[in-house]
Amino acid sequence: MRLIRVVQGALVAVSVITLAMVAANPGEGWAAGIVVGTLVVCPGLAIVLLLGLRDPMAVVSLAVATGLALNVGVAQLLVYGGLWSGRLGAAVLMGISLACALGPMVAQAVPGESRIGEGQGTPDGGGDAPLRRASPDVAPSSSGRAGAVAGEADWR
Amino acid sequence: MRGAVRTLRRDRWPIDSVVHVGVVAIALALWAQALASLDLRSMNDLGLISVLPLEMAGAVGLLTAGFFLALCRRQYVPGVLLLYLVALVLALYGTVVLVNEFPRIEATWRHVGYIEYIMRNRQVDPLLNAYFNWPGFFAAGALLTEAAGLETALSLARWAPMALDLLTIGPLLLLFLSLSDDARAAWAGVWFYFVTAWVGQDYFSPQGWSFFLHLVVLAIALRWFTGAGGALPVWLVPPAGSGRVASVLRALASWAAAPGPGAVESTPQQRAALAGIAILLCAALVSSHQLTPFITLASIAGLVALQRCRLGGLPVLMSVLIGAWLAFMAITFMRGHVESLLAEIGRVDSVVQSSVAERLSGSPEHVFITRFRVVFTLAVCLLAAAGAVRRALQGRSDVAAAALALAPFIVLPLQSYGGEVALRVYFFALPGIAFLLARLFFPGAVLDASRWECSAAMAASVVLTVGFLLARYGNERMDFFTAQEFEAMEEFHRLVDDGLRRDAPAEPQTDRTLVLLPSWNTPLRFEREELYRYYIVMAAQNRPIAVLSNADIETVLQDVARTPHREAYLISTRSQKAHLELLYGLAPSALDAFTEAMELSGAATMVYRNRDATILHLQALNGAVNQ
């Protein structure tokens, strides 16, 4: 939970920095790579974090896929809408990233607001539903049978 | 609590995990050594395997042994397995990315050219190119390239394959973990996927990008919306009776109805959001690639029909999205091609002919590689079938995996897809196939794998990896491009730059520069793709190999003279030569002789030459052939 908040805070910072880099026209080299990576990952990650998933592999895969899909959607809207500009597209994507990362922080300040993953969460009040199989036919490794040593719930 | 966390962390990385990290480090060091001594220019027509240093074999051997030893431990460590997978992907897929300074495969350069078109013209033209009827990938590529301040997408295109392959680990693992009651089979399935994915569609392309989205959609469908089976779908209820057919049908129905793993727990809000993400991904798929959405639709529909997925509305919604896109956004393409598309339906013989038989030509080594690919593909499919049978004999089934392996075959009788449909079917079926293959060695919920099974899996992986290197990189001699070739192409663009009206999207045919290429395999079309007119000897001549072998420049010049243009250039490159020798059996010196004959004829003047490329200006035709 705290980690998610930290990542959301980092997303806000990275989005703002990326916007500044795009405005400065980074060109060839590492700066260009960072901008591309940020535009692909950040919008999707900001959205996926709202789901409250705890499996890092799921979060990363969904974040990148969602980010790519948003890139496709925004780019096509600009092309078909006759508004083509790569920088405008980057601004829209970073706007999505900022809105989704800032949203929970704003919501937290407003009493009564809750995230998508809350409501049926773990007893410790974390609000994240545990990622265990609903099916009873899977034996947990803690019973002494072989299996993944750790991260069992996330990797099974 | 803190103590428990510390214990967990110690358990997570027991001492032998440190040994495994060391093994991976040694393997990567060997791989780096192999990269340093790899000389692509010495390659023969067997491809990359003909120049791979022994260190590479050592690296892959260490990774294989280490992975299966780590996997077969009573308590394996997921982090260690992931480390091995990442190292394997780097070694098998990253090698050609790192040793090449430029993107591989000619189609990549064309895709970069389509992106450059959007950046330059700020629009797409569906009439200009079929790709622009599904421009999602190219528009997104243009957005990223322009926002990053890059002039072209070449650097994106170079690194994209490795990034995509590394990213593929995630959804594959999620998907396989959702299919399995034994996580070992899932990990082994991902490993087997990467040592059998010889159809190289992971380059900078709409299909490579779409395949990743396709996998994530499947992972969402099976991980959070799994229908656990256990009851027969209405349409699968077997007929009553005591005949042999009825009993076989009953056995099949019983196999299909066997319960599978359940979904991971989630809240209704999470499921609603995940369904929304799945719809977003489907929309991106539909606008980015012609074929992938149909495979995704078939796969999800199959899972829903077999009660393995509860997202029953997704296939319906996806059908609507596909139909709407074809009817409105891709109407330009559909108007011109609907008859030919419909004519191909049901012509399985021509599909097989174009996908397999027509590829059995070229140099002797290449013919061997082509035949080997067929054998390798069949062997992988047979191993997967054996895995399914072994599970069935144990009274278990992998219905969802079988559905994923079989669903792509639905397009086989529908389209030849330019002679590539068999390759694409294998490409899309491979996740299901790889999982079933892993089931051959890790068949059950018995969480202890026997030594025999581990050794067999390791041996199979070694054999498959050798086969993978042969099948996947068999065309490498024509697939890579050198710095000298790139320099020549840049010089060509500079040469004709003054004459091009770059802001004019559609110049008259007579006002374009004609580029004469013996073969299309040239890294030329990464910019101003639509501003040139192309005359490709291999496509324009009835007997192109005879024309090139006999240095029959008269025939070519007559054709060129009949083609409206402003001025003409002949470009001859190393990669064209490799392509013609590899796929058409052209003699090694024939293309050089053809180029030299053109130069000596007086019809052309050499304007640029380096080690790997020659550019001739066909000055004798200049102006005289304007029509």
Side-chain angles (χ1 to χ4, degrees), chain A residues 132-133 135-153 156, chain B residues 74-76 181 445 447:
Chain A
R132 281 195 297 271
R133 291 244 185 251
S135 167
D137 60 346
V138 180
S141 66
S142 56
S143 64
R145 297 170 70 183
V149 169
E152 186 81 19
R156 289 189 60 84
Chain B
R74 190 169 178 78
Q75 289 199 321
Y76 59 85
D181 48 8
L447 295 175

Side-chain angles (χ1 to χ4, degrees), chain B residues 351-555:
Chain B
V351 167
V352 174
Q353 178 75 14
S354 60
S355 294
V356 182
E358 286 177 10
R359 291 170 185 269
L360 291 170
S361 62
S363 70
E365 291 91 347
H366 180 70
V367 171
F368 166 76
I369 290 287
T370 312
R371 287 188 175 139
F372 179 79
R373 284 172 177 154
V374 176
V375 173
F376 183 75
T377 304
L378 291 175
V380 170
C381 293
L382 280 175
L383 286 171
V389 168
R390 187 172 182 202
R391 286 274 292 172
L393 290 176
Q394 290 183 347
R396 300 191 185 94
S397 74
D398 292 296
V399 181
L404 295 182
L406 294 174
F409 283 85
I410 200 165
V411 299
L412 206 54
L414 300 179
Q415 284 299 308
S416 71
Y417 206 65
E420 285 192 9
V421 77
L423 298 176
R424 301 298 177 101
V425 165
Y426 176 74
F427 171 63
F428 282 106
L430 191 56
I433 289 172
F435 180 78
L436 291 173
L437 200 164
R439 279 299 203 197
L440 181 60
F441 307 104
F442 303 96
V446 179
L447 295 175
D448 268 336
S450 73
R451 278 187 186 175
W452 178 88
E453 285 167 331
C454 282
S455 307
M458 204 185 294
S461 176
V462 168
V463 173
L464 288 171
T465 304
V466 175
F468 165 86
L469 289 170
L470 260 174
R472 172 150 175 133
Y473 297 115
N475 292 0
E476 195 57 26
R477 195 161 81 85
M478 63 173 249
D479 283 345
F480 82 97
F481 300 103
T482 64
Q484 287 77 13
E485 287 178 87
F486 178 66
E487 280 166 20
M489 297 310 123
E490 281 208 311
E491 179 63 19
F492 171 74
H493 288 304
R494 196 190 61 75
L495 276 171
V496 295
D497 193 38
D498 294 339
L500 285 176
R501 296 192 309 221
R502 298 186 64 171
D503 296 333
E507 294 182 339
Q509 297 278 314
T510 50
D511 204 21
R512 292 191 197 180
T513 298
L514 182 78
V515 188
L516 198 166
L517 301 168
S519 129
W520 47 258
N521 195 43
T522 312
L524 172 69
R525 296 163 74 173
F526 65 98
E527 60 178 40
R528 304 178 228 173
E529 202 264 345
E530 84 288 6
L531 296 182
Y532 301 123
R533 189 154 198 206
Y534 301 93
Y535 178 92
I536 297 168
V537 176
M538 290 308 296
Q541 293 289 332
N542 287 331
R543 297 172 58 243
I545 293 302
V547 167
L548 292 171
S549 297
N550 302 330
D552 184 3
I553 60 166
E554 285 304 319
T555 304

Side-chain angles (χ1 to χ4, degrees), chain B residues 84-131:
Chain B
Y84 274 111
L85 274 174
V86 169
L88 178 82
V89 171
L90 286 176
L92 294 187
Y93 295 82
T95 299
V96 288
V97 173
L98 291 169
V99 296
N100 283 304
E101 197 181 337
F102 296 96
R104 299 163 61 246
I105 303 178
E106 187 270 344
T108 306
W109 294 73
R110 268 187 289 126
H111 296 164
V112 170
Y114 303 146
I115 286 172
E116 190 263 352
Y117 176 92
I118 295 175
M119 289 166 64
R120 181 161 38 86
N121 295 290
R122 304 158 60 89
Q123 62 176 7
V124 291
D125 182 356
L127 276 172
L128 189 69
N129 198 307
Y131 284 101

Side-chain angles (χ1 to χ4, degrees), chain A residues 131-135 138 156, chain B residues 177-180 223 261-265:
Chain A
L131 288 174
R132 281 195 297 271
R133 291 244 185 251
S135 167
V138 180
R156 289 189 60 84
Chain B
L177 287 167
S178 309
L179 294 172
S180 175
R223 191 157 178 83
V264 294
E265 280 182 14

